[in-house]
Amino acid sequence: EARRLGLRHVHSHYANSSATVSRFTSWMTATPYSFTAHAWDIYKHNVDPEELTHNIADARFVVAVSEFNKTYLERFAAGAAHKIVRIYNGIDLETFKPNGAPLRTPWTLLCVARLVEKKGLPIFIEACRQLRERRIPFRGWIVGSGRLRGRLAAQITRSRLKSQVYLFGSCTQRDVLKRYHAAHLFVLPCVIGSDGNRDGLPVSIVEALACGIPVVTTPMTGNPEVIRHDHNGLLVPMGDPRALADALETIYRNSALYERLRANARPSIETAFDLRRTSAQLARRFHGERDR
């Protein structure tokens, strides 16, 4: 198929089987290849380090979605570290932007994530329970689907939060935008999963900032590259619901802090995460050029 199409380059996403198929294609057709490494494909315990090393060694270049991922991949580069380049996952800043509408009560905490272990959603729900005990008026919105939905729903019921924390399931991009525009704060308490899986740098964090929403998350992998503590959000220890609740309460009670975080949100990502810029970076690599 590569020969029939006259391909000059093959680029795949994910560093495991997808990149391996691209490597085999390159062997058979002499077509150069590259790939983007994301998160589960490099961090899970079942990743084959030898396969990863071969995929990096034979690629023309490798894209890491964060500086943290780049450094991690360099461990497997075996002399090919120069091939690894960091290119962030950009977003469309014309789509994800503030709509200018005033925010309404109650104070709204938003999480957009797959319902999987590495997103730390049980920690978010427990922090919400603690906020209720502290008599802070709020509502929590969780947008996304995944295998943990039943367990999370049971936790919400057990914590007597059914009137405050809502599981919305999968939504269209238009509906997600409405949630961003109605939220006061974006919360994503990322953790390392029991299988080693973790986020590289969640795109939802960047989308929230682009919409002018401060973010509270953990200093996991690439998160500190976009969230500057006390500038456009807060970073809290991983796996600590009390620390998360404390951070949320601090922002709720300190209006000056909230307004500063909010003012810095969109400007903090307008350059590095602009889709036009990141696409151009990748295109130059396809043509054998380096970043200007």
Side-chain angles (χ1 to χ4, degrees):
E1 189 69 5
R3 292 192 189 101
R4 186 184 71 80
L5 293 171
L7 299 185
R8 292 183 295 165
H9 187 89
V10 173
H11 184 80
S12 63
H13 282 269
Y14 303 108
N16 46 19
S17 57
S18 176
T20 299
V21 169
S22 296
R23 177 159 55 98
F24 292 165
T25 301
S26 181
W27 288 353
M28 291 185 285
T29 65
T31 304
Y33 76 95
S34 56
F35 64 90
T36 297
H38 289 270
W40 66 269
D41 53 320
I42 60 176
Y43 290 120
K44 287 184 73 171
H45 295 325
N46 62 0
V47 170
D48 183 342
E50 186 176 356
E51 180 184 15
L52 180 55
T53 296
H54 287 315
N55 287 344
I56 294 172
D58 291 350
R60 194 165 86 182
F61 67 91
V62 175
V63 175
V65 299
S66 67
E67 287 291 345
F68 187 97
N69 279 17
K70 180 177 182 292
T71 300
Y72 181 81
L73 285 169
E74 286 171 353
R75 304 179 192 176
F76 304 91
H82 63 282
K83 294 184 177 184
I84 304 172
V85 57
R86 189 269 293 152
I87 301 178
Y88 288 128
N89 286 327
I91 65 169
D92 183 353
L93 293 175
E94 289 303 309
T95 298
F96 294 95
K97 61 184 178 181
N99 67 351
L103 294 172
R104 299 179 180 179
T105 56
W107 196 49
T108 302
L109 309 174
L110 173 65
C111 178
V112 177
R114 287 182 294 121
L115 310 186
V116 295
E117 185 183 6
K118 67 180 180 179
K119 302 298 183 179
L121 296 174
I123 296 164
F124 174 53
I125 294 171
E126 170 58 20
C128 287
R129 188 192 66 79
Q130 294 186 26
L131 290 180
R132 189 201 64 211
E133 287 190 346
R134 301 177 194 190
R135 301 185 182 279
I136 295 175
F138 76 96
R139 61 184 174 186
W141 289 346
I142 300 174
V143 175
S145 61
R147 60 181 178 272
L148 294 186
R149 182 182 177 92
R151 189 184 306 176
L152 297 173
Q155 183 184 0
I156 290 170
T157 299
R158 187 171 60 252
S159 301
R160 293 180 294 170
L161 289 169
K162 290 183 70 173
S163 63
Q164 289 177 279
V165 179
Y166 307 90
L167 292 170
F168 287 102
S170 297
C171 294
T172 65
Q173 186 182 84
R174 181 177 181 180
D175 287 337
V176 172
L177 271 171
K178 289 180 180 179
R179 300 294 177 193
Y180 281 134
H181 291 153
H184 294 77
L185 205 59
F186 188 84
V187 186
L188 190 64
C190 304
V191 299
I192 298 175
S194 56
D195 59 356
N197 196 9
R198 66 203 75 175
D199 276 307
L201 201 169
V203 175
S204 59
I205 286 179
V206 182
E207 292 174 349
L209 292 170
C211 290
I213 310 170
V215 172
V216 179
T217 187
T218 59
M220 273 265 305
T221 57
N223 289 356
E225 295 172 38
V226 63
I227 301 302
R228 292 168 51 196
H229 185 74
D230 211 31
H231 177 77
N232 57 358
L234 296 181
L235 295 169
V236 300
M238 184 179 68
D240 191 338
R242 180 173 295 278
L244 178 58
D246 289 346
L248 299 176
E249 181 178 8
T250 295
I251 296 174
Y252 174 77
R253 298 194 184 283
N254 188 335
S255 59
L257 170 63
Y258 176 73
E259 291 303 327
R260 183 174 77 250
L261 300 179
R262 187 180 179 192
N264 291 330
R266 183 175 172 89
S268 67
I269 53 86
E270 282 184 312
T271 300
F273 293 89
D274 185 342
L275 182 61
R276 295 169 298 182
R277 182 175 184 271
T278 57
S279 296
Q281 288 178 303
L282 186 58
R284 287 195 292 272
R285 291 283 170 169
F286 288 155
H287 292 287
E289 305 171 15
R290 294 189 178 272
D291 293 338
R292 299 190 185 100

